[in-house]
Coordinates of all heavy atoms in Angstrom, one line a residue:
K218 N -3.3 5.7 26.0 CA -3.1 5.9 24.6 C -2.2 4.8 24.0 O -1.1 4.6 24.6 CB -2.5 7.3 24.4 CG -2.4 7.7 23.0 CD -1.9 9.1 22.8 CE -1.7 9.3 21.3 NZ -0.9 10.4 20.9
E219 N -2.6 4.3 22.9 CA -1.8 3.2 22.3 C -0.6 3.7 21.7 O -0.6 4.8 21.1 CB -2.6 2.4 21.3 CG -3.0 3.1 20.0 CD -3.7 2.3 19.0 OE1 -4.8 1.7 19.4 OE2 -3.3 2.1 17.9
P220 N 0.6 3.0 21.8 CA 1.8 3.5 21.1 C 1.6 3.4 19.6 O 0.9 2.6 19.1 CB 2.9 2.5 21.6 CG 2.1 1.3 22.1 CD 0.8 1.8 22.5
A221 N 2.3 4.3 18.9 CA 2.1 4.3 17.4 C 2.8 3.1 16.8 O 3.8 2.6 17.3 CB 2.8 5.6 16.9
A222 N 2.1 2.6 15.7 CA 2.7 1.5 15.0 C 3.8 2.0 14.1 O 3.8 3.2 13.6 CB 1.7 0.8 14.1
T223 N 4.9 1.2 13.9 CA 5.9 1.6 13.0 C 6.0 0.6 11.9 O 5.5 -0.5 12.0 CB 7.3 1.6 13.7 OG1 7.6 0.4 14.3 CG2 7.3 2.7 14.8
I224 N 6.6 0.9 10.8 CA 6.7 0.0 9.6 C 8.0 -0.8 9.8 O 9.1 -0.3 10.0 CB 6.8 0.8 8.3 CG1 5.6 1.7 8.1 CG2 7.0 -0.1 7.1 CD1 5.6 2.6 7.0
V225 N 7.8 -2.2 9.9 CA 9.0 -3.0 10.1 C 9.4 -3.7 8.8 O 10.5 -4.2 8.7 CB 8.7 -4.1 11.2 CG1 8.5 -3.4 12.6 CG2 7.4 -4.9 10.9
E226 N 8.5 -3.8 7.9 CA 8.8 -4.4 6.6 C 8.4 -3.4 5.5 O 7.3 -3.1 5.3 CB 8.1 -5.7 6.3 CG 8.6 -6.5 5.1 CD 7.8 -7.8 5.0 OE1 7.8 -8.6 6.0 OE2 7.3 -8.1 3.9
M227 N 9.4 -2.8 4.9 CA 9.2 -1.7 3.9 C 8.7 -2.2 2.6 O 8.8 -3.4 2.3 CB 10.5 -0.9 3.7 CG 11.0 -0.2 4.9 SD 9.9 1.1 5.5 CE 10.9 2.0 6.5
L228 N 8.1 -1.3 1.8 CA 7.6 -1.7 0.5 C 8.8 -2.0 -0.4 O 9.9 -1.5 -0.2 CB 6.9 -0.5 -0.2 CG 5.6 -0.1 0.4 CD1 5.0 1.1 -0.3 CD2 4.6 -1.3 0.3
K229 N 8.6 -2.9 -1.4 CA 9.6 -3.3 -2.3 C 9.2 -2.9 -3.7 O 8.0 -2.9 -4.0 CB 9.9 -4.8 -2.3 CG 10.5 -5.3 -1.0 CD 10.6 -6.8 -1.0 CE 11.2 -7.4 0.3 NZ 10.4 -7.1 1.5
D230 N 10.1 -2.4 -4.5 CA 9.8 -2.0 -5.9 C 9.2 -3.2 -6.7 O 9.6 -4.4 -6.5 CB 11.0 -1.6 -6.7 CG 11.5 -0.2 -6.1 OD1 10.8 0.5 -5.5 OD2 12.7 0.1 -6.4
V231 N 8.2 -2.9 -7.5 CA 7.5 -4.0 -8.3 C 7.5 -3.5 -9.7 O 7.2 -2.4 -10.0 CB 6.0 -4.1 -7.8 CG1 5.2 -5.1 -8.7 CG2 6.0 -4.6 -6.4
T232 N 7.8 -4.5 -10.6 CA 7.8 -4.3 -12.0 C 6.7 -5.2 -12.6 O 6.8 -6.4 -12.3 CB 9.1 -4.5 -12.7 OG1 10.1 -3.7 -12.1 CG2 9.1 -4.2 -14.2
S233 N 5.8 -4.7 -13.4 CA 4.7 -5.5 -13.9 C 4.5 -5.1 -15.4 O 4.8 -4.0 -15.8 CB 3.4 -5.3 -13.2 OG 3.5 -5.6 -11.9
C234 N 4.1 -6.1 -16.2 CA 3.7 -5.8 -17.6 C 2.3 -5.3 -17.6 O 1.5 -5.6 -16.8 CB 3.9 -7.1 -18.4 SG 5.6 -7.6 -18.5
E235 N 1.9 -4.6 -18.7 CA 0.6 -4.1 -18.9 C -0.4 -5.3 -18.8 O -0.1 -6.4 -19.4 CB 0.4 -3.4 -20.2 CG 1.0 -2.0 -20.1 CD 0.5 -1.1 -21.3 OE1 -0.6 -0.5 -21.2 OE2 1.3 -1.1 -22.3
G236 N -1.5 -5.1 -18.1 CA -2.5 -6.2 -18.0 C -2.3 -7.1 -16.8 O -3.2 -7.8 -16.4
E237 N -1.1 -7.0 -16.2 CA -0.8 -7.9 -15.0 C -1.3 -7.1 -13.7 O -1.5 -5.9 -13.8 CB 0.6 -8.2 -14.9 CG 1.1 -9.1 -16.0 CD 2.6 -9.4 -15.8 OE1 3.3 -8.8 -15.0 OE2 3.1 -10.4 -16.5
D238 N -1.3 -7.8 -12.6 CA -1.6 -7.2 -11.3 C -0.2 -6.9 -10.7 O 0.7 -7.6 -10.8 CB -2.3 -8.2 -10.4 CG -3.8 -8.4 -10.8 OD1 -4.2 -7.7 -11.8 OD2 -4.4 -9.3 -10.3
A239 N -0.2 -5.8 -9.9 CA 1.0 -5.4 -9.2 C 0.6 -5.5 -7.7 O -0.4 -4.9 -7.3 CB 1.4 -4.0 -9.5
V240 N 1.4 -6.2 -6.9 CA 1.1 -6.4 -5.5 C 2.2 -5.8 -4.6 O 3.4 -6.0 -4.8 CB 1.0 -7.9 -5.2 CG1 0.7 -8.2 -3.7 CG2 0.0 -8.6 -6.1
F241 N 1.7 -4.9 -3.7 CA 2.6 -4.3 -2.7 C 2.2 -4.7 -1.3 O 1.0 -4.8 -1.0 CB 2.5 -2.7 -2.9 CG 2.9 -2.2 -4.2 CD1 2.0 -2.1 -5.2 CD2 4.2 -1.8 -4.4 CE1 2.4 -1.7 -6.5 CE2 4.6 -1.3 -5.7 CZ 3.7 -1.2 -6.7
E242 N 3.2 -5.0 -0.5 CA 3.0 -5.4 0.9 C 3.9 -4.6 1.9 O 5.0 -4.2 1.5 CB 3.3 -6.9 1.1 CG 2.4 -7.8 0.4 CD 2.7 -9.2 0.8 OE1 3.8 -9.6 1.2 OE2 1.7 -10.0 0.8
C243 N 3.3 -4.3 3.0 CA 4.0 -3.5 4.1 C 3.6 -4.2 5.4 O 2.4 -4.5 5.6 CB 3.5 -2.1 4.0 SG 4.7 -0.9 4.7
C244 N 4.6 -4.3 6.3 CA 4.3 -4.9 7.6 C 4.5 -3.9 8.7 O 5.5 -3.2 8.7 CB 5.2 -6.1 7.8 SG 4.3 -7.6 8.2
L245 N 3.6 -3.9 9.7 CA 3.7 -2.9 10.8 C 4.1 -3.7 12.0 O 4.0 -4.9 12.1 CB 2.3 -2.3 11.1 CG 1.7 -1.5 9.9 CD1 0.4 -0.8 10.3 CD2 2.7 -0.4 9.4
S246 N 4.6 -2.9 13.0 CA 5.1 -3.5 14.3 C 3.9 -4.1 15.1 O 4.2 -4.9 16.0 CB 5.9 -2.4 15.1 OG 5.0 -1.3 15.3
R247 N 2.7 -3.6 14.9 CA 1.6 -4.1 15.6 C 0.3 -3.8 14.9 O 0.3 -2.9 14.0 CB 1.6 -3.4 17.0 CG 1.5 -1.9 17.0 CD 1.8 -1.2 18.3 NE 0.8 -1.5 19.3 CZ -0.4 -1.0 19.3 NH1 -0.8 -0.1 18.5 NH2 -1.3 -1.3 20.3
E248 N -0.7 -4.5 15.3 CA -2.1 -4.1 14.7 C -2.4 -2.8 15.3 O -2.1 -2.5 16.4 CB -3.1 -5.2 15.1 CG -2.8 -6.5 14.4 CD -3.9 -7.5 14.7 OE1 -5.1 -7.2 14.8 OE2 -3.6 -8.7 14.9
T249 N -3.1 -2.0 14.5 CA -3.4 -0.6 14.9 C -4.7 -0.2 14.4 O -5.2 -0.6 13.4 CB -2.3 0.3 14.4 OG1 -2.6 1.7 14.9 CG2 -2.2 0.4 12.9
A250 N -5.3 0.8 15.2 CA -6.6 1.4 14.8 C -6.3 2.7 14.0 O -7.2 3.3 13.5 CB -7.4 1.7 16.0
Q251 N -5.0 3.1 14.0 CA -4.6 4.3 13.2 C -5.0 4.1 11.8 O -5.0 3.0 11.2 CB -3.1 4.5 13.3 CG -2.6 5.0 14.6 CD -1.1 5.2 14.5 OE1 -0.4 4.3 14.4 NE2 -0.7 6.5 14.6
N252 N -5.3 5.3 11.1 CA -5.6 5.2 9.7 C -4.3 5.0 8.9 O -3.4 5.7 9.0 CB -6.2 6.6 9.3 CG -7.7 6.7 9.7 OD1 -8.3 5.7 10.1 ND2 -8.2 7.9 9.8
A253 N -4.4 3.9 8.1 CA -3.3 3.6 7.2 C -3.8 4.0 5.8 O -5.0 3.8 5.5 CB -2.9 2.2 7.3
Q254 N -2.9 4.6 5.0 CA -3.4 5.0 3.7 C -2.4 4.7 2.6 O -1.2 4.9 2.8 CB -3.6 6.6 3.7 CG -4.1 7.2 2.4 CD -5.5 6.7 2.0 OE1 -6.4 7.0 2.8 NE2 -5.6 6.1 0.9
W255 N -2.8 4.2 1.4 CA -2.0 4.0 0.3 C -2.2 5.2 -0.7 O -3.2 5.8 -0.8 CB -2.5 2.7 -0.4 CG -2.2 1.5 0.3 CD1 -3.0 0.8 1.1 CD2 -1.0 0.7 0.3 NE1 -2.4 -0.3 1.6 CE2 -1.2 -0.4 1.1 CE3 0.2 0.8 -0.4 CZ2 -0.2 -1.4 1.3 CZ3 1.2 -0.1 -0.2 CH2 1.0 -1.2 0.6
F256 N -1.1 5.5 -1.4 CA -1.1 6.6 -2.4 C -0.4 6.1 -3.7 O 0.6 5.4 -3.6 CB -0.3 7.8 -1.9 CG -0.9 8.5 -0.7 CD1 -0.6 8.0 0.6 CD2 -1.8 9.5 -0.8 CE1 -1.2 8.6 1.7 CE2 -2.3 10.1 0.3 CZ -2.0 9.7 1.6
L257 N -0.9 6.6 -4.8 CA -0.2 6.5 -6.1 C 0.2 8.0 -6.4 O -0.7 8.8 -6.7 CB -1.0 5.9 -7.2 CG -0.5 5.9 -8.6 CD1 0.9 5.3 -8.6 CD2 -1.4 5.3 -9.6
G258 N 1.5 8.3 -6.3 CA 1.9 9.7 -6.4 C 1.3 10.4 -5.2 O 1.5 10.0 -4.1
D259 N 0.6 11.5 -5.4 CA -0.1 12.2 -4.4 C -1.6 11.9 -4.2 O -2.3 12.5 -3.4 CB 0.0 13.8 -4.6 CG 1.4 14.3 -4.6 OD1 2.2 13.7 -3.8 OD2 1.7 15.2 -5.3
V260 N -2.0 10.9 -5.0 CA -3.5 10.5 -5.0 C -3.7 9.4 -4.0 O -3.2 8.3 -4.1 CB -3.9 10.1 -6.4 CG1 -5.4 9.7 -6.4 CG2 -3.6 11.2 -7.4
P261 N -4.6 9.7 -3.0 CA -4.9 8.6 -2.1 C -5.7 7.5 -2.8 O -6.6 7.8 -3.6 CB -5.8 9.3 -1.0 CG -6.0 10.6 -1.4 CD -5.2 10.9 -2.7
L262 N -5.4 6.2 -2.5 CA -6.1 5.1 -3.2 C -7.2 4.5 -2.2 O -7.1 4.5 -1.0 CB -5.1 4.0 -3.5 CG -4.0 4.4 -4.5 CD1 -3.0 3.3 -4.7 CD2 -4.6 4.9 -5.8
Q263 N -8.3 4.1 -2.8 CA -9.3 3.4 -2.1 C -9.6 2.1 -2.8 O -9.3 1.9 -4.0 CB -10.6 4.2 -2.1 CG -10.5 5.6 -1.5 CD -11.7 6.4 -1.6 OE1 -12.7 6.1 -2.2 NE2 -11.7 7.6 -0.9
S264 N -10.2 1.1 -2.0 CA -10.6 -0.2 -2.6 C -11.7 0.0 -3.6 O -12.7 0.7 -3.3 CB -11.0 -1.1 -1.5 OG -10.0 -2.0 -1.2
N265 N -11.5 -0.5 -4.8 CA -12.6 -0.4 -5.8 C -12.3 -1.5 -6.8 O -11.5 -2.4 -6.5 CB -12.7 1.0 -6.5 CG -11.3 1.4 -7.1 OD1 -10.6 0.6 -7.6 ND2 -11.1 2.7 -7.0
E266 N -12.8 -1.5 -8.0 CA -12.6 -2.6 -9.0 C -11.2 -2.6 -9.5 O -10.7 -3.6 -10.0 CB -13.6 -2.5 -10.1 CG -13.5 -1.3 -11.0 CD -14.2 0.0 -10.5 OE1 -14.9 -0.2 -9.4 OE2 -14.0 1.0 -11.1
M267 N -10.4 -1.5 -9.4 CA -9.1 -1.4 -9.9 C -8.0 -1.6 -8.8 O -6.9 -2.0 -9.1 CB -8.8 -0.1 -10.6 CG -9.7 0.1 -11.8 SD -9.6 -1.2 -13.0 CE -7.9 -1.1 -13.6
N268 N -8.4 -1.3 -7.6 CA -7.4 -1.4 -6.4 C -8.0 -2.2 -5.3 O -9.2 -2.0 -4.9 CB -7.1 0.0 -5.8 CG -6.8 1.0 -6.9 OD1 -6.0 0.8 -7.8 ND2 -7.4 2.2 -6.8
E269 N -7.3 -3.2 -4.9 CA -7.7 -4.0 -3.7 C -6.8 -3.7 -2.5 O -5.6 -4.0 -2.6 CB -7.7 -5.5 -4.1 CG -8.3 -6.4 -3.0 CD -8.3 -7.8 -3.3 OE1 -8.6 -8.2 -4.5 OE2 -7.9 -8.6 -2.5
I270 N -7.4 -3.2 -1.5 CA -6.6 -2.9 -0.3 C -7.0 -3.8 0.8 O -8.2 -4.0 1.1 CB -6.8 -1.4 0.2 CG1 -6.3 -0.5 -0.9 CG2 -6.2 -1.1 1.5 CD1 -6.6 1.0 -0.7
G271 N -6.1 -4.5 1.4 CA -6.4 -5.5 2.4 C -5.5 -5.4 3.7 O -4.4 -4.8 3.6
V272 N -6.0 -5.9 4.8 CA -5.3 -5.9 6.0 C -5.5 -7.2 6.7 O -6.6 -7.7 6.8 CB -5.8 -4.8 7.0 CG1 -5.0 -4.8 8.3 CG2 -5.7 -3.4 6.4
Q273 N -4.4 -7.9 7.0 CA -4.4 -9.2 7.7 C -3.5 -9.0 8.9 O -2.3 -9.1 8.7 CB -4.0 -10.3 6.8 CG -5.2 -11.2 6.4 CD -4.7 -12.4 5.7 OE1 -3.6 -12.4 5.0 NE2 -5.4 -13.5 5.8
G274 N -4.0 -8.7 10.1 CA -3.2 -8.5 11.2 C -2.3 -7.3 11.0 O -2.8 -6.2 10.9
T275 N -1.0 -7.5 11.0 CA 0.0 -6.4 10.8 C 0.4 -6.2 9.4 O 1.1 -5.2 9.1 CB 1.2 -6.6 11.7 OG1 1.9 -7.8 11.2 CG2 0.9 -6.7 13.1
R276 N -0.1 -7.1 8.5 CA 0.3 -7.0 7.1 C -0.8 -6.2 6.3 O -1.9 -6.6 6.3 CB 0.5 -8.4 6.5 CG 0.9 -8.4 5.0 CD 1.4 -9.8 4.6 NE 2.5 -10.3 5.3 CZ 3.7 -10.0 5.2 NH1 4.1 -9.1 4.3 NH2 4.6 -10.5 6.0
H277 N -0.3 -5.2 5.6 CA -1.2 -4.4 4.7 C -0.8 -4.6 3.3 O 0.4 -4.6 2.9 CB -1.0 -2.9 5.1 CG -1.5 -2.5 6.4 ND1 -2.7 -1.8 6.6 CD2 -1.1 -2.8 7.7 CE1 -2.9 -1.6 7.9 NE2 -2.0 -2.3 8.6
T278 N -1.8 -4.9 2.4 CA -1.5 -5.1 1.0 C -2.3 -4.2 0.1 O -3.4 -3.8 0.4 CB -1.9 -6.6 0.6 OG1 -3.2 -6.8 1.0 CG2 -1.0 -7.6 1.4
L279 N -1.7 -3.9 -1.0 CA -2.3 -3.2 -2.1 C -2.1 -4.0 -3.4 O -1.0 -4.3 -3.7 CB -1.7 -1.8 -2.3 CG -2.1 -1.0 -3.5 CD1 -3.6 -0.7 -3.5 CD2 -1.2 0.2 -3.7
I280 N -3.2 -4.3 -4.1 CA -3.2 -4.9 -5.4 C -3.7 -4.0 -6.4 O -4.9 -3.6 -6.3 CB -3.9 -6.3 -5.4 CG1 -3.4 -7.2 -4.3 CG2 -3.8 -6.9 -6.8 CD1 -4.3 -8.5 -4.1
L281 N -2.9 -3.6 -7.4 CA -3.4 -2.8 -8.5 C -3.7 -3.8 -9.6 O -2.8 -4.5 -10.1 CB -2.3 -1.8 -9.0 CG -1.8 -0.8 -8.0 CD1 -0.7 0.1 -8.6 CD2 -2.9 0.1 -7.5
R282 N -5.0 -3.8 -10.0 CA -5.4 -4.8 -11.0 C -5.2 -4.3 -12.4 O -5.4 -3.2 -12.7 CB -6.9 -5.0 -10.8 CG -7.3 -5.5 -9.4 CD -7.8 -7.0 -9.5 NE -8.1 -7.4 -8.1 CZ -7.4 -8.5 -7.6 NH1 -6.4 -9.1 -8.2 NH2 -7.7 -8.8 -6.4
K283 N -4.7 -5.3 -13.3 CA -4.6 -5.0 -14.7 C -3.9 -3.7 -15.0 O -4.5 -2.8 -15.6 CB -5.9 -5.2 -15.4 CG -6.5 -6.5 -15.3 CD -7.8 -6.7 -16.1 CE -8.3 -8.1 -16.2 NZ -8.8 -8.6 -14.9
V284 N -2.7 -3.5 -14.5 CA -2.0 -2.2 -14.6 C -1.8 -1.7 -16.1 O -1.7 -2.5 -17.0 CB -0.7 -2.2 -13.9 CG1 -0.8 -2.4 -12.4 CG2 0.3 -3.2 -14.5
T285 N -1.8 -0.4 -16.2 CA -1.5 0.2 -17.5 C -0.3 1.1 -17.3 O 0.2 1.3 -16.1 CB -2.7 1.1 -18.0 OG1 -2.9 2.1 -17.1 CG2 -3.9 0.2 -18.1
R286 N 0.2 1.7 -18.3 CA 1.4 2.6 -18.2 C 1.0 3.8 -17.3 O 1.9 4.3 -16.6 CB 1.8 3.2 -19.6 CG 2.5 2.1 -20.4 CD 3.0 2.8 -21.7 NE 3.6 1.8 -22.6 CZ 4.8 1.4 -22.5 NH1 5.6 1.8 -21.5 NH2 5.3 0.5 -23.4
E287 N -0.2 4.2 -17.3 CA -0.6 5.3 -16.4 C -0.5 5.0 -14.9 O -0.5 5.9 -14.1 CB -2.1 5.8 -16.7 CG -2.2 6.4 -18.1 CD -2.2 5.5 -19.3 OE1 -2.6 4.4 -19.1 OE2 -1.6 5.9 -20.3
D288 N -0.5 3.7 -14.6 CA -0.3 3.3 -13.2 C 1.1 3.4 -12.7 O 1.3 3.2 -11.5 CB -0.9 1.9 -13.0 CG -2.4 1.8 -13.2 OD1 -3.1 2.7 -12.8 OD2 -2.8 0.8 -13.9
S289 N 2.1 3.6 -13.6 CA 3.5 3.6 -13.1 C 3.7 4.9 -12.3 O 3.1 5.9 -12.6 CB 4.4 3.5 -14.3 OG 4.3 4.7 -15.1
G290 N 4.5 4.8 -11.3 CA 4.8 5.9 -10.5 C 5.1 5.4 -9.1 O 5.3 4.3 -8.8
L291 N 5.2 6.4 -8.2 CA 5.6 6.1 -6.8 C 4.3 5.7 -6.0 O 3.3 6.4 -5.9 CB 6.2 7.4 -6.2 CG 6.8 7.2 -4.8 CD1 8.1 6.4 -4.9 CD2 7.1 8.6 -4.2
I292 N 4.4 4.5 -5.4 CA 3.4 4.0 -4.5 C 3.9 4.2 -3.1 O 5.1 3.9 -2.8 CB 3.2 2.5 -4.7 CG1 2.6 2.2 -6.1 CG2 2.3 1.9 -3.6 CD1 1.1 2.6 -6.2
S293 N 3.1 4.8 -2.2 CA 3.4 5.1 -0.8 C 2.4 4.5 0.1 O 1.2 4.5 -0.2 CB 3.5 6.6 -0.6 OG 4.5 7.2 -1.5
F294 N 2.9 4.1 1.3 CA 2.0 3.6 2.4 C 2.4 4.5 3.6 O 3.6 4.6 3.9 CB 2.3 2.1 2.7 CG 1.6 1.6 3.8 CD1 0.2 1.2 3.7 CD2 2.2 1.5 5.1 CE1 -0.5 0.8 4.8 CE2 1.5 1.0 6.2 CZ 0.1 0.7 6.0
K295 N 1.4 5.1 4.2 CA 1.6 5.9 5.3 C 0.7 5.5 6.5 O -0.5 5.2 6.3 CB 1.3 7.4 4.9 CG 2.2 7.9 3.9 CD 1.9 9.3 3.5 CE 2.9 9.8 2.4 NZ 2.5 11.0 1.8
V296 N 1.3 5.5 7.7 CA 0.6 5.3 8.9 C 1.2 6.2 10.0 O 2.4 6.1 10.2 CB 0.6 3.8 9.3 CG1 2.0 3.3 9.6 CG2 -0.3 3.5 10.5
G297 N 0.4 7.0 10.6 CA 0.9 8.0 11.5 C 2.0 8.8 10.9 O 1.8 9.4 9.9
Q298 N 3.1 8.9 11.6 CA 4.3 9.7 11.1 C 5.2 8.9 10.2 O 6.2 9.4 9.8 CB 5.1 10.2 12.3 CG 4.3 11.1 13.2 CD 3.8 12.4 12.5 OE1 4.6 13.1 11.9 NE2 2.5 12.7 12.7
H299 N 4.9 7.6 9.9 CA 5.8 6.7 9.2 C 5.3 6.5 7.8 O 4.0 6.5 7.6 CB 5.9 5.4 9.9 CG 6.3 5.5 11.4 ND1 7.6 5.7 11.7 CD2 5.6 5.5 12.5 CE1 7.7 5.8 13.0 NE2 6.4 5.7 13.5
S300 N 6.2 6.3 6.9 CA 5.8 6.0 5.5 C 6.9 5.2 4.8 O 8.0 5.2 5.2 CB 5.6 7.3 4.7 OG 6.8 8.0 4.5
S301 N 6.5 4.5 3.7 CA 7.4 3.7 2.9 C 6.9 3.9 1.5 O 5.7 4.0 1.2 CB 7.3 2.2 3.3 OG 8.2 1.5 2.5
S302 N 7.9 3.9 0.6 CA 7.6 4.1 -0.9 C 8.3 3.1 -1.7 O 9.4 2.7 -1.4 CB 7.9 5.5 -1.3 OG 7.2 6.5 -0.5
A303 N 7.7 2.8 -2.9 CA 8.4 2.0 -3.9 C 8.0 2.4 -5.3 O 7.0 3.1 -5.4 CB 8.0 0.5 -3.6

């Protein structure tokens, strides 16, 4: 059984103006097959025309496209028992 990945680089707070993109990054201790999930408040996010979720090795990114005031709030990244918020 593979050891659980941990978060080694936590999320940082991001301030964006309306219409700009907001970029969040999180780094894990290792590449993992575990399900990693992004949230805005309690709502799980998926890749679509407004949200771009990417993974490059151990780096996980979330881009919120053309943010509005409704997009403000707590962004969380969760993998296994570990989480980070900004």
Side-chain angles (χ1 to χ4, degrees):
K218 185 178 175 195
E219 71 178 56
T223 59
I224 299 172
V225 293
E226 190 178 310
M227 297 295 199
L228 292 176
K229 294 176 179 61
D230 290 341
V231 173
T232 303
S233 298
C234 294
E235 282 193 87
E237 293 181 348
D238 292 349
V240 180
F241 296 88
E242 288 188 337
C243 205
C244 235
L245 300 182
S246 58
R247 57 191 297 281
E248 291 184 40
T249 179
Q251 284 181 292
N252 286 341
Q254 180 69 60
W255 291 94
F256 295 87
L257 173 55
D259 294 330
V260 179
L262 299 175
Q263 298 177 354
S264 261
N265 56 35
E266 65 277 355
M267 297 306 295
N268 311 315
E269 183 180 319
I270 296 173
V272 180
Q273 257 189 325
T275 60
R276 183 168 301 280
H277 291 251
T278 56
L279 167 67
I280 302 172
L281 300 179
R282 301 247 178 245
K283 297 184 174 70
V284 295
T285 64
R286 287 188 185 275
E287 289 74 37
D288 294 319
S289 65
L291 190 68
I292 294 287
S293 302
F294 175 81
K295 297 180 182 170
V296 61
Q298 300 296 310
H299 304 281
S300 67
S301 178
S302 301

